[in-house]
Amino acid sequence: TDQSKFGGASGYFDGTGDSVSTPYVTADFDWWVGDYTIEGWIYPVSLANANASNTGTPPVLIGNMNSGDDSNYWSLGPRINGSLRFFYWTGATNGVETAAGDVVTGSWQHIAMTKNSAGIRLFVGGVLKAGPTAVSGTPQSFTGVNLRIAQYNSVSFNVYTDDFRITKGVARYTGDFTPPDAAFPNSSGTGITGAVGTVGVSENVVLTSGPVTGSVGTVVRGVAVTGVYDTSEIGSISHAT
């Protein structure tokens, strides 16, 4: 790809219908159940289609959302005005959002959402930009809607992505921090047991920090189809082409 943060390649979504998804596993992706982190590097080419226009203006970067209709139970990403927004559905729209202009086009920026007992925090470039904001109501998800990147309700985001990671059980950041200066560790490290499924892009599958047991599923173009683990780590893939 033309742009990458680490390793010479990244996931590229050209804004004309590209997306990637994996089945939604509630045990892995229901962020409100315990501490949680979603983070990664993005290089927006354009913010024109960074969010949909329906109620709550949900971002389309990553979330429990359908590509072709308005089913969106939660999503994280920038909006057209350059704010970073975390949207979630409780029977009504809820969300946490940073100031306009925090996310810009034409450069790599690290974004993160963390959740712990104090609430939801949003970070851009390692700087706390919003929160902690208490979770409102009872968030919802739906296994009939995939975990998806870069398209929602027929709106497609033109963006490069690199080194996305979801961590279940740990709010990695609660205050300002220095974003990672290297790619996350490879899956070939120690502490992984059980069956490993098909890896479509094998570079930098993140499964670290202690023994990981059970099955690891298929990894295709930047998203790990995760199994059930006995630690807080959920896999991810970086440097997808």
Side-chain angles (χ1 to χ4, degrees), residues 22-80:
T22 186
Y24 192 91
V25 180
T26 57
D28 292 337
F29 301 134
D30 279 359
W31 54 270
W32 61 92
V33 175
D35 291 357
Y36 212 78
T37 304
I38 305 170
E39 63 180 310
W41 291 89
I42 63 171
Y43 184 113
V45 178
S46 170
L47 292 173
N49 287 329
N51 63 265
S53 60
N54 49 300
T55 302
T57 58
V60 305
L61 176 63
I62 183 171
N64 183 204
M65 57 193 184
N66 259 352
S67 60
D69 64 36
D70 65 358
S71 298
N72 186 322
Y73 290 86
W74 62 263
S75 62
L76 171 69
R79 293 182 63 233
I80 292 169

Side-chain angles (χ1 to χ4, degrees), residues 5-16:
K5 181 62 182 177
F6 306 114
S10 64
Y12 177 56
F13 303 90
D14 66 7
T16 62

Side-chain angles (χ1 to χ4, degrees), residues 174-201:
T174 56
D176 293 357
F177 64 96
T178 301
D181 60 4
F184 295 131
N186 289 331
S187 61
S188 57
T190 60
I192 300 173
T193 61
V196 178
T198 303
V199 178
V201 182

Side-chain angles (χ1 to χ4, degrees), residues 104-120:
V104 300
T105 60
S107 68
W108 285 102
Q109 297 135 90
H110 185 274
I111 63 168
M113 168 271 191
T114 67
K115 180 265 174 186
N116 65 6
S117 59
I120 298 165

Side-chain angles (χ1 to χ4, degrees), residues 96 114-123 128-135 174-175:
V96 180
T114 67
K115 180 265 174 186
N116 65 6
S117 59
I120 298 165
R121 296 174 173 87
L122 297 179
F123 301 84
L128 178 62
K129 296 288 190 176
T133 302
V135 177
T174 56

Side-chain angles (χ1 to χ4, degrees), residues 142-153:
F142 181 43
T143 57
V145 174
N146 283 354
L147 182 71
R148 183 174 301 278
I149 290 178
Q151 188 181 36
Y152 161 60
N153 202 17

